[in-house]
Amino acid sequence: MITQNPAFIPGPTNIPEVVRRACDMPTLDHRSSAFRDILHPALNAVRHVMKAPQAEIFVFPSTGTGGWETALTNTLSPGDRVLAARNGMFSHRWIDMCERHGLDVQVLDVPWGEGLPAQRYEEILTADTQHRIRAILATHNETATGVLSDIAALRAALDTADHPALLLVDGVSSIGSVDFEFEKWGVDIAVAGSQKGFMMPAGLAIVAFSPKAMAAVSQATLPRTFFDVRDMADSYATGGYPYTPAVGLLNGLNVAAHMLLDEGLDNVFARHRRIADGVRAATQAWGLQLCARRPELYSDTVSAIRTPDGFDATRIVNHAAETYGVAFGVGLGEVAGKVFRIGHLGSLTDVMMLSGLATAEMCMVDLGMDIKLGQGVAAAQRVYATGASEPHREAA
Ligand SMILES: *Cc1c(COP(=O)(O)O)cnc(C)c1O
């Protein structure tokens, strides 16, 4: 197996060497002050990354899926109505989790490749004069289709309808890579995981609760034990954990979150935008379409690229893995076989991305697609080149 190559899957992402070393720790007593010196700086750094100055941050040994469960079980009761749009595999799975918890889910189905329909949320919220809807669910970045939705528009929908429902947001593949304005957007719960924008191994669910979400916790009656944020809050107050924490991962999270802050969040977002622009330029040069239907929906963390009708996109992913030792993402659910995905989030540079685009290009040529070597790479190079030799760029 080749392990030197970067991965181009939309999570888990590449792990910076310093983060890997931070995760690899000798045993440390989690009741010691040394542990508190890891935990509290990590929670504070996460709070800054999410722009959530007033939120409570909780980190569970789990994954993003556990973060979804934390959000639901701590704020809702059996039979509660929630409103959720489905525009891909991840929004689908969160809806499925709601149903399995006995929630009454009002599902807005939209075509895969579309964003969350703020207008329809607003109409339904306005019509709900009894305020039966307790929460609205939103997947900020639908990782299956490469679609980024407008969370501020959902907040505006709630405000226009003057509706008190909680706004629960899945930011697993956006937080730490693209702007996430917890406070400004009036988000009540945000969910992240360690293995995407935080550049870590999988193993942590990272959640933020607004004061309004915390106020809902004592009313909520869905069963919860492991994910009960009250136990977590009580333990944090005394510097500890309600059970054995993943100390090494928390140490890694502290380092990783500070790396993002040291780079500067705006620089992190600009880097993701530029790298994504290169991927999009390559896609266009290949004559292929993104699954995301309009430029304003394009995700800066993952691109789902449609292959021509009759061509099984999964062949590209398999060929890249077997022949070149490079990982791309397969299409999921409704778009399985129709798209392959290039993950471009986390610890990534322009130069790394060029290697991924060159590999995807080789695979498509190997498999007989109507593409020439260098086509997409050159288009990305024109995005990434500094501009020092403008005439050459024009000539190319
Ligand atoms: C990866 C992902 C998840 C699931 O996270 P796990 O860590 O695999 O449980 C949820 N939502 C989105 C948008 C994701 O990209």
Side-chain angles (χ1 to χ4, degrees):
M1 194 180 77
I2 306 167
T3 55
Q4 292 98 322
N5 292 331
F8 299 97
I9 45 179
T13 62
N14 300 297
I15 309 172
E17 195 55 33
V18 285
V19 175
R20 263 182 65 185
R21 271 188 263 122
C23 293
D24 181 5
M25 280 185 83
T27 302
L28 185 148
D29 177 8
H30 58 280
R31 300 185 198 287
S32 67
S33 67
F35 175 65
R36 292 195 282 280
D37 291 344
I38 295 169
L39 176 66
H40 290 286
L43 298 175
N44 274 326
V46 167
R47 193 176 285 114
H48 278 103
V49 170
M50 293 194 185
K51 302 187 180 176
Q54 299 188 61
E56 304 253 11
I57 308 293
F58 303 108
V59 182
F60 293 89
S62 183
T63 70
T65 304
W68 284 343
E69 189 161 327
T70 302
L72 301 180
T73 58
N74 280 284
T75 57
L76 298 166
S77 302
D80 274 358
R81 178 164 294 177
V82 302
L83 175 62
R86 173 161 48 205
N87 64 339
M89 200 62 192
F90 292 92
S91 40
H92 167 70
R93 285 190 188 147
W94 202 9
I95 287 167
D96 175 61
M97 179 184 275
C98 290
E99 287 168 346
R100 293 204 230 172
H101 276 84
L103 295 168
D104 172 13
V105 195
Q106 187 169 353
V107 180
L108 295 173
D109 267 304
V110 297
W112 289 31
E114 275 295 342
L116 301 178
Q119 187 61 41
R120 285 174 67 194
Y121 275 88
E122 184 184 316
E123 286 157 17
I124 291 164
L125 290 166
T126 303
D128 179 35
T129 51
Q130 311 275 305
H131 296 166
R132 291 204 44 219
I133 296 167
R134 305 305 300 268
I136 69 173
L137 269 49
T139 301
H140 185 206
N141 190 73
E142 182 41 88
T143 318
T145 57
V147 165
L148 185 79
S149 286
D150 184 353
I151 301 301
L154 295 184
R155 166 47 59 197
L158 283 160
D159 290 349
T160 305
D162 198 16
H163 199 292
L166 295 168
L167 174 56
L168 312 187
V169 181
D170 172 343
V172 179
S173 63
S174 59
I175 289 170
S177 308
V178 301
D179 195 18
F180 192 89
E181 299 271 359
F182 186 94
E183 179 140 312
K184 195 162 130 197
W185 297 339
V187 175
D188 290 302
I189 301 180
V191 177
S194 49
Q195 80 276 23
K196 304 206 178 166
F198 287 106
M199 310 173 286
M200 302 252 303
L204 298 177
I206 302 162
V207 296
F209 274 53
S210 71
K212 183 171 157 187
M214 289 306 294
V217 171
S218 57
Q219 320 295 318
T221 61
L222 273 175
R224 59 194 189 270
T225 47
F226 187 83
F227 290 119
D228 198 321
V229 296
R230 290 170 298 190
D231 297 336
M232 207 49 116
D234 290 348
S235 301
Y236 285 176
T238 56
Y241 240 69
Y243 32 74
T244 316
V247 176
L249 289 177
L250 283 161
N251 195 46
L253 179 64
N254 187 27
V255 169
H258 279 97
M259 271 180 76
L260 293 172
L261 297 174
D262 289 347
E263 183 177 347
L265 290 178
D266 288 342
N267 296 330
V268 171
F269 306 151
R271 173 168 57 81
H272 280 82
R273 167 60 54 86
R274 189 180 63 249
I275 290 174
D277 278 341
V279 175
R280 292 188 279 258
T283 304
Q284 197 182 17
W286 292 326
L288 300 177
Q289 305 285 325
L290 292 173
C291 182
R293 292 188 172 185
R294 291 182 302 283
E296 63 268 29
L297 300 173
Y298 292 170
S299 164
D300 286 341
T301 65
V302 53
S303 295
I305 300 172
R306 289 189 179 276
T307 49
D309 283 347
F311 186 97
D312 180 2
T314 303
R315 290 174 64 204
I316 296 171
V317 178
N318 293 340
H319 186 72
E322 287 157 15
T323 309
Y324 300 111
V326 170
F328 295 107
V330 295
L332 302 173
E334 266 183 35
V335 290
K338 296 180 180 157
V339 305
F340 73 100
R341 292 176 301 150
I342 299 181
H344 35 82
L345 74 163
S347 179
L348 210 61
T349 64
D350 301 357
V351 170
M352 290 160 85
M353 196 64 247
L354 285 171
S355 74
L357 294 171
T359 307
E361 200 161 69
M362 289 192 286
C363 292
M364 291 190 282
V365 169
D366 289 348
L367 295 171
M369 283 173 67
D370 185 19
I371 279 167
K372 288 192 179 45
L373 287 179
Q375 233 176 341
V377 171
Q381 284 172 316
R382 285 193 284 276
V383 173
Y384 301 152
T386 60
S389 52
E390 203 65 42
H392 293 287
R393 297 173 67 199
E394 291 305 313

